[in-house]
Amino acid sequence: MQSQGSQSQQNVHTTTLARAKTEILRVIEILIEKMPSDVVDLLVEVMDIIMYCIEGSLVKKKGLSECFPAICRFYMVAYCDRSYRIAVGARQGSVALYDVRTGKCQHIHGHKGPITAVSFAPDGRYLATYSNADSHISFWQMNTSLLGSIGMLNSAPQLRCIKTYQVPPVQPASPGSQNALKLARLIWTSNRNVILMAHDGKEHRFMV
């Protein structure tokens, strides 16, 4: 009886949380709007909550920018509509890679400081990550072997760093954490070429 009671109580909590998904997402939207500098410190945890609240099939169908545009304002967040994966840069220098079909997440440890920007190549084969703190941009290749290819067996892709370049650090326009959120972004011009665009318009071009 005690076991059944605790199970029933757990089900009530789970049901209540499920019903509150819309409200939870609205609160996150408000936090992003009002306190973006605080949200960025917990960006991976925030994405964990978003992934719980939004159906993966909906993200797969419509894309992250349509399902939850607020999170896409951060240059540390990117979605690939070819592999159905979301990359989120963390303050610790790691990148969380989510599979929207399974909800699973793996972590890549590639930088020695907070991630400034992440971006997938148009064909989904490469992921670029940039940290202004350690002044490096890295390129990660998705494993495209028979069993580990994008989308095969719903397995987590094996990523390997294929190139790393040192980049002069970008100086913020003025002191303040708000400016630090928009230091630089990554723009792919083709499946193998990317531009690191600083807030002041300066460009650094790279080829995978």
Side-chain angles (χ1 to χ4, degrees), residues 6-66:
S6 61
Q7 181 66 39
S8 175
Q9 188 177 21
Q10 184 178 358
N11 289 340
V12 169
H13 290 163
T14 304
T15 304
T16 303
L17 190 58
R19 287 176 179 170
K21 286 180 179 180
T22 303
E23 287 79 6
I24 292 170
L25 290 173
R26 179 59 188 144
V27 169
I28 292 176
E29 277 185 330
I30 294 171
L31 288 174
I32 291 174
E33 181 183 348
K34 303 293 186 182
M35 305 163 59
S37 301
D38 295 297
V39 172
V40 81
D41 287 334
L42 298 168
L43 208 50
V44 173
E45 289 80 2
V46 169
M47 183 57 73
D48 285 341
I49 298 171
I50 294 171
M51 290 294 290
Y52 173 80
C53 293
I54 299 179
E55 292 293 332
S57 58
L58 190 64
V59 178
K60 182 179 175 182
K61 181 180 180 180
K62 295 187 175 182
L64 184 63
S65 59
E66 188 170 338

Side-chain angles (χ1 to χ4, degrees), residues 130 137 167 184-186 194-198 202-204 206:
Y130 168 65
I137 181 172
V167 188
R185 58 187 174 133
L186 295 163
V194 69
I195 296 173
L196 176 63
M197 175 78 73
K202 291 182 180 178
E203 298 180 2
H204 297 277
F206 303 92

Side-chain angles (χ1 to χ4, degrees), residues 21 34-35 46 55 71 115 118 145-146 149 157-158 167 170 180 184 199:
K21 286 180 179 180
K34 303 293 186 182
M35 305 163 59
V46 169
E55 292 293 332
I71 199 69
I115 304 296
V118 299
S145 64
L146 179 61
S149 62
Q158 297 300 312
V167 188
V170 178
H199 67 88

Side-chain angles (χ1 to χ4, degrees), residues 43-151:
L43 208 50
V44 173
E45 289 80 2
V46 169
M47 183 57 73
D48 285 341
I49 298 171
I50 294 171
M51 290 294 290
Y52 173 80
C53 293
I54 299 179
E55 292 293 332
S57 58
L58 190 64
V59 178
K60 182 179 175 182
K61 181 180 180 180
K62 295 187 175 182
L64 184 63
S65 59
E66 188 170 338
C67 290
F68 200 72
I71 199 69
C72 297
R73 67 180 287 181
F74 295 107
Y75 294 158
M76 308 86 172
V77 177
Y79 174 66
C80 179
D81 57 9
R82 297 292 296 272
S83 64
Y84 306 117
R85 288 187 166 86
I86 300 170
V88 181
R91 302 294 290 174
Q92 298 79 16
S94 62
V95 177
L97 192 67
Y98 297 84
D99 187 330
V100 301
R101 297 163 303 177
T102 64
K104 293 181 178 179
C105 176
Q106 67 177 131
H107 293 267
I108 311 164
H109 300 280
H111 292 275
K112 297 177 181 178
I115 304 296
T116 306
V118 299
S119 184
F120 288 100
D123 63 2
R125 291 181 179 273
Y126 301 102
L127 172 66
T129 62
Y130 168 65
S131 171
N132 190 60
D134 73 2
S135 304
H136 282 86
I137 181 172
S138 296
F139 293 93
W140 307 81
Q141 184 178 37
M142 295 278 205
N143 181 6
T144 53
S145 64
L146 179 61
L147 295 179
S149 62
I150 296 174

